Amino acid sequence: MTKDDVYLEINHILKKYQATLEMGLWIGTPTKCLVDYQSHKSFPAASISKLVLYAYYLEQIIEKKINPQQVICVSPVDLTGGAGVLRLFPQKKAGLSVNCLQR
């Protein structure tokens, strides 16, 4: 996947969900912007740790250590309850079907 592919995919998602998105996004380097969506606005962070994971994930893609097209399957046994408002939602029980997500 090239930088242009990432740009096109993110812009497709932004256009599709633009009416319901309450977020800002800026992806790039300190000197070059790849994608910019409402980056001038301030938004409360739902979880700062997700930003660190996202940055690490992008770094791994750039270094070609992971493939963003790889499908990842997570067993319900491996799901965690989360924190904040997530802990109020029902927990998934072991024995349910495996959840597969495309990165």
Side-chain angles (χ1 to χ4, degrees):
M1 178 175 269
T2 68
K3 290 179 184 179
D4 289 336
D5 293 332
V6 172
Y7 176 81
L8 291 173
E9 287 295 321
I10 290 174
N11 276 311
H12 173 73
I13 292 167
L14 291 174
K15 286 178 185 172
K16 184 175 180 180
Y17 297 103
Q18 191 169 17
T20 58
L21 287 175
E22 290 293 330
M23 61 167 262
L25 176 68
W26 190 90
I27 299 175
T29 68
T31 58
K32 183 178 179 187
C33 179
L34 177 61
V35 178
D36 178 7
Y37 177 76
Q38 299 191 76
S39 65
H40 62 283
K41 294 173 75 176
S42 295
F43 298 90
S47 173
I48 298 297
S49 64
K50 290 178 189 148
L51 298 176
V52 175
L53 292 173
Y54 179 66
Y56 178 75
Y57 178 70
L58 286 176
E59 184 178 274
Q60 297 299 300
I61 291 172
I62 290 167
E63 294 176 3
K64 301 195 183 313
K65 292 181 179 177
I66 61 172
N67 177 357
Q69 299 297 322
Q70 178 186 353
V71 174
I72 300 172
C73 296
V74 179
S75 167
V77 174
D78 296 326
L79 296 177
T80 62
V85 71
L86 293 178
R87 70 181 174 359
L88 302 176
F89 290 98
Q91 296 290 313
K92 301 243 180 190
K93 302 294 181 207
L96 297 177
S97 63
V98 173
N99 298 302
C100 293
L101 303 172
Q102 184 172 6
R103 285 202 248 188

